[in-house]
């Protein structure tokens, strides 16, 4: 199976022209690489990136759960669908901890994304490393996030979901998890998914690692920790680093 490599550009770059340059550099280098690549730019760059000749999938970084109406400042799943967006990141820790998104809101968004035939990339991960790993508390945090965010998601739709294991302490800190810890978290996530659905579905759901991924550690997560792919933040804004990440894992 080809690894799934997702670029989360977050609130970058700050001009449309810089977004073009970044995209074109990635495009020209990555088109021959056998990975499934998803680029998640800010909403306002999605429209110009929906080029059918383009061999990447497009993803959004968030959405609202209603389809239309008086919700100032929000973007609906139908709008994303109309721009040929395939994936949507939901429950990113920056949405949870800066913007106060709850598991309940994330669950509504996730079900709404599936209704619109978008593929959600659901982020889960523990907030603190020390307490978490010393006590196995991280398992409890991840289990709660999975159970709450996947509530009422039927077994026939579950395989469309991608889970990103993103320990919050590893995001943007240059302190990635070890590949052993990522492997344990991945196995634990599959165990919870098996309980929620069944073994076959749990094996079909892709699980990514995210948190300070770079070209040096990418291989350890995909080949060592057997992750199905990566969710890359900061390093995806540097075209050559991003291409090197992909090269290391294919
Ligand atoms: P990072 O971000 O790669 O910059 O740590 C990952 C993410 O937030 O998805």
């Amino acid at each position: 199976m080809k690894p799934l490599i997702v670029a989360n550009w977050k609130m970058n770059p700050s001009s449309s022209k810089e977004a073009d340059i970044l995209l074109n550099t990635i495009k020209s280098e990555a088109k021959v690489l056998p990975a499934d690549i998803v680029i998640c730019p800010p909403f306002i760059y999605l429209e110009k990136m929906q080029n059918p000749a383009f061999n990447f999938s497009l993803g959004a970084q968030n959405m609202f759960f209603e389809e239309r109406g008086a919700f100032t400042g929000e973007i609906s799943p139908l709008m994303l669908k109309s721009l040929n967006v395939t994936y949507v990141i939901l429950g990113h820790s920056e949405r949870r901890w800066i913007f106060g998104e709850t598991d309940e809101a994330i669950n509504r968004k996730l079900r709404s994304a599936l209704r619109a035939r978008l593929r959600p990339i659901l982020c889960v991960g523990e907030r603190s490393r020390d307490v978490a790993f010393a006590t196995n508390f991280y398992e409890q945090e991840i289990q709660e996030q999975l159970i709450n965010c996947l509530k009422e998601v039927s077994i026939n739709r579950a395989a469309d979901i991608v889970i990103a294991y993103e320990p919050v302490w590893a995001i943007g800190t240059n302190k990635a998890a070890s590949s052993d810890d990522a492997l344990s978290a991945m196995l634990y996530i599959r165990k919870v998914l098996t309980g929620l659905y069944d073994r076959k579905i749990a094996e079909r759901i892709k699980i990514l690692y995210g948190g300070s991924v770079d070209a040096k550690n990418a291989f350890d997560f995909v080949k060592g920790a057997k992750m199905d792919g990566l969710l890359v933040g900061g390093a995806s804004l540097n075209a050559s680093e991003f291409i090197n990440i992909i090269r290391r894992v294919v």
Side-chain angles (χ1 to χ4, degrees):
M1 211 179 0
K2 286 193 216 166
L4 180 68
I5 312 294
V6 183
N8 177 10
W9 286 3
K10 308 193 182 187
M11 201 172 72
N12 301 290
S14 43
S15 76
S16 181
K17 205 166 157 210
E18 288 169 279
D20 288 344
I21 296 170
L22 179 57
L23 182 70
N24 289 332
T25 322
I26 295 172
K27 207 155 105 176
S28 60
E29 295 280 328
K31 61 175 175 261
V32 292
L33 296 173
D36 288 323
I37 301 168
V38 182
I39 311 261
C40 305
F43 288 129
I44 61 161
Y45 304 143
L46 284 170
E47 181 158 21
K48 66 172 175 172
M49 285 174 60
Q50 44 145 2
N51 173 355
F54 183 18
N55 60 344
F56 300 36
S57 303
L58 261 189
Q61 300 171 16
N62 182 30
M63 53 162 245
F64 191 50
F65 46 74
E66 295 290 352
E67 292 186 348
R68 59 181 70 75
F71 303 103
T72 302
E74 293 295 332
I75 301 286
S76 87
L78 300 185
M79 294 171 185
L80 298 180
K81 207 55 205 170
S82 78
L83 295 180
N84 296 319
V85 170
T86 309
Y87 290 88
V88 57
I89 299 173
L90 295 174
H92 189 280
S93 63
E94 284 147 20
R95 301 289 328 161
R96 290 176 189 264
W97 307 116
I98 302 174
F99 299 99
E101 268 187 27
T102 60
D103 282 350
E104 195 204 350
I106 296 161
N107 172 253
R108 290 185 76 177
K109 292 181 175 193
L110 189 135
R111 286 183 292 132
S112 169
L114 289 171
R115 269 197 303 280
R117 306 272 153 193
L118 291 161
R119 299 195 59 184
I121 300 173
L122 171 65
C123 300
V124 297
E126 74 283 357
R127 280 189 87 173
S128 136
R129 189 190 193 287
D130 301 335
V131 185
F133 276 83
T135 59
N136 271 2
F137 180 68
Y138 85 100
E139 293 189 346
Q140 196 183 323
E141 250 184 294
I142 291 173
Q143 182 188 38
E144 259 172 39
Q145 290 171 355
L146 287 168
I147 292 175
N148 294 339
C149 297
L150 296 175
K151 207 164 157 190
E152 290 172 31
V153 173
S154 80
I155 192 160
N156 342 338
R157 301 308 311 281
D160 288 338
I161 299 166
V162 174
I163 307 286
Y165 169 59
E166 294 213 306
V168 180
W169 50 266
I171 296 180
T173 56
N174 271 331
K175 291 191 186 110
S178 70
S179 61
D180 283 353
D181 287 347
L183 176 65
S184 316
M186 184 274 282
L187 293 172
Y188 182 71
I189 290 169
R190 271 208 218 286
K191 183 170 146 199
V192 175
L193 294 172
T194 304
L196 288 174
Y197 300 106
D198 61 29
R199 165 93 92 65
K200 241 165 99 194
I201 295 291
E203 277 167 4
R204 281 177 56 200
I205 296 177
K206 289 195 166 138
I207 302 179
L208 315 180
Y209 170 78
S212 295
V213 170
D214 58 26
K216 284 198 251 38
N217 61 26
F219 181 88
D220 295 341
F221 292 116
V222 175
K223 305 287 180 193
K226 299 187 173 35
M227 291 281 170
D228 298 306
L230 301 166
L231 177 49
V232 188
S236 71
L237 296 168
N238 175 331
S240 59
E241 179 78 4
F242 186 60
I243 298 298
N244 283 335
I245 289 172
I246 302 169
R247 284 207 182 106
R248 295 300 309 273
V249 301
V250 294

